[in-house]
Amino acid sequence: MDNTIKYALALNVLGDKINAVSTELKEAEKLASELKYDELLKRKSVLESAISRYASIRNELAVLDRPAVIEREHHQLVDAFDELIHGTKLMDQGLNLKDMKVTPEKILNGFQLQLKSQKDTMDVTNRIVEKLSK
């Protein structure tokens, strides 16, 4: 099978995994300042799971065999994914269960970083598609 087709299929599989994690995160993205401990615990658990799963997907992405023509874009895609993980970590840090403290600024900063990462990912993905379809 052609390397370009293998790469595209692998990205599709990783995209499905990303969508699954992102769907779970939608629940945790709400600012949690009015939540009870058990609700905070659930959101914290979702965020921690997302960080772990995103890291696993990122590692799969980083070692993906790719066509030479998109080497630079592929690295940019990995970098954008690193930003997504960092944004999720910031959101997680915004929920401090030990002190029962919510830091909305950290959650918002993390969410904004996630949005930037999503835009960067879309831009790089469009460039990859453009290069591979030539």
Side-chain angles (χ1 to χ4, degrees), residues 53-64 81-82 85:
R53 291 167 62 197
Y54 277 154
S56 175
I57 294 166
R58 183 252 181 243
N59 291 338
E60 287 181 60
L61 177 63
V63 299
L64 204 58
F81 213 79
D82 285 337
I85 294 168

Side-chain angles (χ1 to χ4, degrees), residues 79-95:
D79 290 344
F81 213 79
D82 285 337
E83 277 191 338
L84 177 66
I85 294 168
H86 182 66
T88 308
K89 285 180 179 179
L90 284 175
M91 292 176 70
D92 181 56
Q93 292 167 5
L95 298 176

